[in-house]
Amino acid sequence: MIEQKSFPIYKPLAIVIGTSAGGVEALTKIFIGLRAGFSIPILVVQHISPSSDSYLPKHLNRLTTVSVNEAIDKTSIEEFNAYLAPPNYHMLVEEDRTISLTVDEKVSYARPSIDVLFETASRAYGRNLLGVIMTGANADGASGSKLLREMGGFLVVQDPKSAHISTMPEAALQLAGADYVTNLEGIIEFLNQLK
Amino acid sequence: MINEEINEIQNIEIRLFLEALFQRYDYDFRNYSQAHIKRRILHRMNLNNFKNISEMQHRILYDPSFVQQILLDLSINVTEMYRDPSFYAAVRKEVIPILKTYPFIKTWHAGCSTGEEVYSMAILMREEGLLNRSQIYATDFNHKVLKIAKEGIYPIDQIKDYTTNYQKSGGKESFSSYYDANYNSVIIDSSLKKNIVFADHNLVTDSVFAEVNLIICRNVLIYFNRELQDKVIKLFLDSLAPGGILCLGSKENLQYSTHFEMFSVIDAHEKIYRKEYRH
Ligand SMILES: C[S@@+](CC[C@H](N)C(=O)[O-])C[C@H]1O[C@@H](n2cnc3c(N)ncnc32)[C@H](O)[C@@H]1O
């Protein structure tokens, strides 16, 4: 089920990351680990309580040279930037590579939902998209990961054995398979070799 | 056929689908967020086991009852009372003092959905002593939600959250004094409805209908593309009296609008703007 495809030859045009329980820690490690000057735009859905403030983007922003911000509706997706879905909004990628936010019903009990980001980003970026699924306690992201691979994107899944909570990576592996399965350190190393 | 090609074909089909919906029924979704529309249309296609979007287009052209389903799919009506309590707190602090200087206040809720936002604001106005000199227009293009808004009957299981929101927003009374509770629903106190007119208005195809002092349009513009957002902002600009106030949703902003310089910022975080007096 898990295919170990060779690493993408092309630098992807965007990276989408989905995570839930345990994700703040995992994201913290990822952003600390990114090499200085990392340029590929990153879009992140971290499941988060609807009433939480904008702590997470500020926190992550301090860890890296990437400029991390809460996503604003209709922003163009730019290099050297990372965009976090705001609490209580879905984050969608338009095919003109701008961000739209919506307040649609929850998907897989979540808003923001990883599936919504992965599906729309897959349609916008096709084979030029890299997806990363990490620790989490539900199956959100699995069907988005499936579409991502169908559209030719490259999927990295955190090794469930190494994940704080394994449900989310397991669900993704089961439905979508993966191009590369590794622990957090491996994900960081993988991201840093993209050029 | 490879998936990238299918994606391209679907984009063509969607443009044709929206064109059909517009030409046959006058509903204009052509400049809505493309990613949103595509998600919703593909979702419907899969649910109803259509082979492709073209097949669905055929169905809407020949089956008007199916159009109602599509309208529900495309218009998202998710709402709540005192959504974003900090916004209502900011209105109390920064907007009410301005409105208090007016002898009569006209408010427009654009895209009011099932009315929770309208009643939240009406309660706030009552507590600030402004409701009896107010005229409130609450509009949406979806008849189904307008009917619910008019009735003002809501499921009781949400009242707990709404009460919390109300208190966080700086509510001054006991929230339960604004509704009558039944077994599984609440009905909004009818005295709050006295100055409210609920009406059908489409932000894309209809024009200015009144000069107002306050426009509240939250979580509607996010569904439009930039171009349409700009057009609707212009409609708001033309509807506002000089010094009139525009309130958008927490994650919406005027930043990308070509009309930005016609407004001053009252609260950047809560997205509250004021139309300049000049011009
Ligand atoms: C997500 S709801 C927002 C409800 C409320 N303002 C709030 O923030 O809680 C969006 C509303 O906008 C309405 N809407 C969408 N397009 C519209 C249009 N072209 N004209 C008028 N209303 C529209 C929908 O029917 C829906 O009720």
Side-chain angles (χ1 to χ4, degrees):
Chain A
M1 179 182 55
I2 302 164
E3 302 140 48
Q4 209 86 349
K5 202 157 76 179
S6 58
F7 287 171
I9 324 157
Y10 304 115
K11 176 168 132 180
L13 291 177
I15 298 170
V16 287
I17 301 180
T19 175
S20 167
V24 173
E25 255 195 343
L27 287 169
T28 300
K29 283 195 181 146
I30 297 271
F31 279 94
I32 288 177
L34 283 183
R35 65 181 159 78
F38 189 87
S39 65
I40 308 167
I42 305 173
L43 298 129
V44 183
V45 165
Q46 154 77 59
H47 289 171
I48 203 160
S49 122
S51 57
S52 52
D53 56 15
S54 308
Y55 159 78
L56 187 58
K58 286 192 192 113
H59 161 70
L60 297 177
N61 189 49
R62 279 193 285 266
L63 310 175
T64 165
T65 60
V66 178
S67 166
V68 188
N69 283 296
E70 193 176 85
I72 296 174
D73 181 54
K74 302 296 171 299
T75 312
S76 304
I77 297 166
E78 305 283 358
E79 291 202 316
F80 302 103
N81 280 272
Y83 307 88
L84 257 72
N88 227 359
Y89 289 79
H90 291 302
M91 178 163 71
L92 290 72
V93 178
E94 300 285 345
E95 293 187 25
D96 69 1
R97 291 162 190 181
T98 56
I99 292 173
S100 283
L101 302 174
T102 77
V103 293
D104 287 28
E105 292 83 359
K106 293 181 177 178
V107 175
S108 313
Y109 309 102
R111 188 173 54 219
S113 142
I114 301 166
D115 281 336
V116 171
L117 171 65
F118 276 42
E119 282 168 18
T120 54
S122 299
R123 294 194 190 106
Y125 287 102
R127 67 182 72 230
N128 295 309
L129 185 67
L130 172 71
V132 182
I133 291 283
M134 305 195 297
T135 165
N138 72 16
D140 187 23
S143 76
S145 295
K146 184 162 176 275
L147 184 70
L148 181 141
R149 294 193 75 208
E150 285 167 3
M151 294 294 297
F154 192 94
L155 182 69
V156 179
V157 175
Q158 183 179 11
D159 184 352
K161 288 196 295 294
S162 77
H164 183 65
I165 311 240
S166 61
T167 316
M168 185 168 282
E170 271 163 3
L173 286 175
Q174 198 176 348
L175 193 69
D179 298 296
Y180 186 39
V181 180
T182 180
N183 59 18
L184 272 185
E185 289 66 36
I187 295 174
I188 294 166
E189 203 181 317
F190 176 80
L191 293 175
N192 281 335
Q193 58 81 40
L194 297 167
K195 27 180 154 333
Chain B
M1 207 177 311
I2 65 162
N3 289 313
E4 270 176 357
E5 278 179 291
I6 294 176
N7 194 49
E8 270 313 299
I9 294 170
Q10 285 177 340
N11 287 347
I12 298 170
E13 286 181 301
I14 285 171
R15 280 195 292 275
L16 296 172
F17 181 91
L18 297 180
E19 199 57 44
L21 195 59
F22 177 58
Q23 291 195 18
R24 180 77 181 90
Y25 302 98
D26 265 351
Y27 283 107
D28 190 356
F29 289 96
R30 294 174 301 173
N31 286 310
Y32 276 52
S33 148
Q34 206 253 355
H36 164 71
I37 294 286
K38 192 166 178 180
R39 247 196 94 228
R40 304 297 292 191
I41 289 182
L42 289 176
H43 187 64
R44 174 55 52 196
M45 182 183 100
N46 292 330
L47 274 183
N48 289 29
N49 288 317
F50 286 109
K51 275 206 301 291
N52 49 46
I53 300 167
S54 304
E55 203 177 83
M56 224 162 87
Q57 177 194 317
H58 184 269
R59 177 79 180 274
I60 54 156
L61 284 173
Y62 287 95
D63 177 3
S65 69
F66 186 61
V67 175
Q68 291 313 312
Q69 181 58 57
I70 294 296
L71 290 182
L72 288 180
D73 288 338
L74 298 186
S75 83
I76 303 302
N77 305 115
V78 178
T79 186
E80 54 186 271
M81 288 190 88
Y82 294 98
R83 174 187 230 158
D84 310 316
S86 61
F87 162 71
Y88 288 89
V91 168
R92 266 188 211 270
K93 206 166 135 241
E94 292 160 292
V95 177
I96 294 295
I98 299 174
L99 299 181
K100 279 189 172 163
T101 64
Y102 300 156
F104 193 77
I105 301 141
K106 286 189 181 171
T107 300
W108 176 18
H109 288 268
C112 67
S113 189
T114 40
E116 286 85 337
E117 173 191 279
V118 186
Y119 294 121
S120 304
M121 199 55 85
I123 289 169
L124 191 159
M125 296 266 202
R126 151 112 23 115
E127 291 180 359
E128 297 294 337
L130 296 178
L131 189 60
N132 52 13
R133 48 181 162 114
S134 284
Q135 171 67 60
I136 299 167
Y137 304 100
T139 66
D140 204 286
F141 76 154
N142 179 327
H143 301 231
K144 262 207 165 126
V145 296
L146 276 176
K147 188 161 169 281
I148 297 170
K150 254 181 239 175
E151 288 168 354
I153 300 173
Y154 302 112
I156 202 159
D157 50 8
Q158 287 167 13
I159 286 295
K160 221 177 116 201
D161 287 346
Y162 292 172
T163 307
T164 314
N165 282 357
Y166 166 76
Q167 285 159 352
K168 279 197 206 158
S169 79
K172 296 177 174 172
E173 306 292 329
S174 150
F175 190 55
S176 59
S177 63
Y178 296 116
Y179 59 81
D180 287 319
N182 290 324
Y183 177 60
N184 54 9
S185 62
V186 301
I187 177 153
I188 297 291
D189 176 3
S190 62
S191 71
L192 286 167
K193 299 180 186 169
K194 237 179 33 214
N195 303 341
I196 307 175
V197 178
F198 290 98
D200 178 8
H201 182 278
N202 188 327
L203 290 167
V204 182
T205 43
D206 294 331
S207 47
V208 177
F209 61 90
E211 189 183 69
V212 300
N213 309 104
L214 171 64
I215 294 177
I216 295 153
C217 183
R218 308 193 76 224
N219 304 306
V220 182
L221 294 182
I222 40 176
Y223 289 97
F224 300 167
N225 70 17
R226 265 196 214 182
E227 189 189 330
L228 182 56
Q229 287 188 354
D230 215 43
K231 188 180 147 200
V232 176
I233 298 283
K234 178 72 166 66
L235 172 68
F236 292 157
L237 193 62
D238 293 342
S239 303
L240 281 171
I245 287 160
L246 174 62
C247 302
L248 302 179
S250 306
K251 305 300 169 197
E252 295 167 319
N253 57 73
L254 285 182
Q255 174 176 330
Y256 298 126
S257 166
T258 55
H259 308 292
F260 184 53
E261 78 283 8
M262 308 296 238
F263 293 90
S264 56
V265 180
I266 291 189
D267 188 322
H269 188 248
E270 299 300 341
K271 310 293 155 41
I272 303 176
Y273 306 91
R274 187 168 196 192
K275 180 178 170 178
E276 297 276 7
Y277 274 97
R278 64 182 143 88
H279 61 258

